[in-house]
Amino acid sequence: FRAPDKAVAFAEERRLGVRGHPLMWWARDPRWLTSVLNSANADSIMQKHIQVTVHRYRGRVKSWMW
């Protein structure tokens, strides 16, 4: 979360709103995901990723793109 934390902090320091990137993206998966994802665990891993991300930025990201 290093890069998004910095981006959110930058926006907050300048009183700018933050709009989050889609939490799932069909065109490109991060390396951490492709190294652990398979058909048996895909649902639970993606649900956990979304929950952790949304919780981390709750009250700081005003909306999420779809």
Side-chain angles (χ1 to χ4, degrees):
F1 290 102
R2 210 169 313 154
D5 284 349
K6 287 175 101 173
V8 171
F10 177 90
E12 288 175 333
E13 290 167 6
R14 288 156 182 80
R15 295 186 177 167
L16 302 171
V18 176
R19 186 177 200 187
H21 190 273
L23 294 164
M24 294 176 59
W25 189 250
W26 64 272
R28 187 172 160 191
D29 293 327
R31 276 186 228 141
W32 69 263
L33 179 61
T34 57
S35 68
V36 298
L37 192 67
N38 60 52
S39 60
N41 66 13
D43 284 345
S44 63
I45 287 178
M46 294 310 299
Q47 286 179 17
K48 175 85 171 175
H49 166 68
I50 291 168
Q51 290 170 348
V52 167
T53 304
V54 170
H55 178 76
R56 183 179 189 92
Y57 297 107
R58 182 178 34 198
R60 300 172 72 195
V61 171
K62 303 302 178 198
S63 65
W64 294 92
M65 295 170 55
W66 47 271

